[in-house]
Amino acid sequence: MTPSPVRIAQISDLHIKPPGRLAYGRVDTAVALERCVVALNEFRPRPDLVVISGDLADTPTVEEYDYLKHLLAPLELPFVSIPGNHDLREMMRATLPQGYAFSTGALNQRVEVGGLDLVLLDSSVHGKPHGELDGPTLQWLEATLASSGNRPALLFLHHPPFKAGIWHMDRQNLANAGELAPVIRRHPRVLLIATGHIHRATLTMFAGVPATICPAPNHAVDLDLAQLREPSFKVEPPAFHLHSWFPGEGFGSVVTHQVQIGIFDGPHPFFGLDGKLL
């Protein structure tokens, strides 16, 4: 039987503060997440799963994670999550118990969705803004990818393993990307590497595989490619990523759409009832 298409929604960098608090004194990340949940619930066809790729909380505190659970309660879709540099593993493990691969340490996961494997990697480093995949995580990744030779896989982690060109973010990306690359090259079933951290939609190649950065539902890192300003953010149109896997020859194919969050004019038909272009 031919596998059915699988659609994975990715949201990232929620930065939830305690109730009534604004991120950086300006951004209401709670309202932004509420809008995002509505958009996910209303999207058709419904995604099979939502992946939250890090920075769920902001400080972090137990109060923030409790508020996060409250804000996610209306989400009608199943979700999984991995930590970012603003998260704390122990708090996430207690607040969002999921099928983590290890009982302690990194919050890695492998999730099967139809004919597709999702491999979620914990790149967080306690108390540091940069990312790193520790030894047990790299060993687990190698074994997990080697466990099946015929199922396509998507990899998710918070920190991009490549430079985005934004100076203050590039110094805090995945520090040991050189250790990840040979693992990816050994396993051609990896079709996509999906990350977060920079709050901007970005596309490149890494280790011969398409690699993306997911936009955020709240604020974006300033696209300062010339190092003209101090680290800054902008409030730009919010969005999430929708990764659609289509079965086919070999491992099939993946298409990523950027989905804007909000109410916009349309859709309007191109053609009238008489079949003529309007």
Side-chain angles (χ1 to χ4, degrees), residues 40-231:
L40 289 167
N41 287 341
E42 293 180 348
F43 193 86
R44 297 295 183 274
R46 284 203 154 185
D48 297 281
L49 184 73
V50 178
V51 174
I52 310 176
S53 54
D55 283 0
L56 287 75
D58 190 63
T59 306
T61 63
V62 172
E63 185 180 17
E64 289 176 352
Y65 283 112
D66 287 342
Y67 192 31
L68 170 72
K69 286 184 66 175
H70 169 76
L71 294 168
L72 288 174
L75 181 62
E76 298 168 1
L77 306 169
F79 71 89
V80 292
S81 58
I82 46 177
N85 52 290
H86 281 256
D87 292 306
L88 194 63
R89 287 174 176 172
E90 292 79 5
M91 288 185 185
M92 277 191 63
R93 190 184 294 275
T95 309
L96 299 171
Q98 299 170 4
Y100 301 120
F102 304 150
S103 58
T104 60
L107 305 185
N108 305 315
Q109 296 186 65
R110 174 182 173 271
V111 181
E112 293 186 11
V113 186
L116 185 66
D117 284 350
L118 306 184
V119 182
L120 282 66
L121 303 175
D122 179 353
S123 61
S124 65
V125 179
H126 181 73
K128 302 294 183 180
H130 74 275
E132 186 172 352
L133 300 175
D134 61 21
T137 291
L138 288 169
Q139 294 170 11
W140 175 83
L141 174 63
E142 183 78 61
T144 298
L145 292 176
S147 66
S148 174
N150 57 5
R151 287 178 60 87
L154 309 185
L155 262 60
F156 291 85
L157 68 159
H158 182 68
H159 295 84
F162 54 85
K163 290 185 177 181
I166 303 174
W167 64 277
H168 61 96
M169 299 303 295
D170 285 343
R171 66 189 182 191
Q172 53 178 277
N173 60 7
L174 188 70
N176 62 336
E179 295 181 69
L180 174 62
V183 180
I184 302 302
R185 292 192 177 99
R186 282 194 291 270
H187 299 282
R189 73 186 187 107
V190 177
L191 301 182
L192 177 72
I193 302 168
T195 72
H197 191 49
I198 300 187
H199 296 227
R200 303 198 70 87
T202 307
L203 170 66
T204 189
M205 298 289 290
F206 175 79
V209 176
T212 61
I213 298 174
C214 184
N218 37 51
H219 55 284
V221 172
D222 180 28
L223 189 61
D224 180 11
L225 301 178
Q227 198 168 339
L228 299 175
R229 295 172 288 278
E230 292 300 310

Side-chain angles (χ1 to χ4, degrees), residues 238-251:
F240 64 89
H241 269 171
L242 183 70
H243 308 292
S244 297
W245 172 75
F246 300 98
E249 183 178 354
F251 293 108

